Amino acid sequence: CSMERNKKTLVLLCGLPGSGKSTRAKLEYGGAVVLSTDDFFVSASGAYHWNQAGLKKAHIWNQERCRLCMEKNEQLIVIDNCNLRLQDAVPYARLARE
């Protein structure tokens, strides 16, 4: 995809776990800042430790990372989350509108 000068783009991927969202983010949006709520559950050693109890906090954390990237004027941000329900995508759409 070609980017217009000074145009900022937010891409919200959606799909079931294991459907290829992360692979697509890497292949199709190689120069983008890719943000995933799953990153919250990765330890410093790289181990993944998901837990349901931390999910709400993880989503808020990822939304804040998105806001900070927008404030830094990143040209292309990809949200690599399931986004299966409209309410999952709404916080990111609000950030983009602001």
Side-chain angles (χ1 to χ4, degrees):
C1 88
S2 65
M3 300 292 291
E4 293 177 33
R5 181 173 273 227
N6 296 322
K7 182 176 180 181
K8 294 168 185 63
T9 304
L10 176 67
V11 177
L12 300 176
L13 299 179
C14 63
L16 295 172
S19 63
K21 296 178 302 296
S22 298
T23 300
R24 181 172 183 187
K26 290 174 191 164
L27 296 176
E28 190 170 333
Y29 304 104
V33 173
V34 178
L35 303 173
S36 174
T37 297
D38 271 344
D39 296 341
F40 182 84
F41 300 105
V42 177
S43 69
S45 67
Y48 183 70
H49 302 285
W50 188 86
N51 69 69
Q52 177 71 34
L55 192 55
K56 183 174 182 174
K57 185 176 179 180
H59 278 292
I60 293 168
W61 173 81
N62 202 54
Q63 292 160 16
E64 178 63 12
R65 292 194 313 158
C66 182
R67 185 187 65 74
L68 291 172
C69 286
M70 289 177 172
E71 287 178 359
K72 291 187 336 190
N73 289 314
E74 294 290 349
Q75 294 294 305
L76 179 58
I77 301 168
V78 177
I79 303 301
D80 179 15
N81 287 348
C82 292
N83 292 312
L84 296 176
R85 301 170 300 166
L86 180 61
Q87 67 192 39
D88 299 331
V90 165
Y92 298 103
R94 283 189 183 133
L95 286 170
R97 215 173 340 183
E98 291 172 7

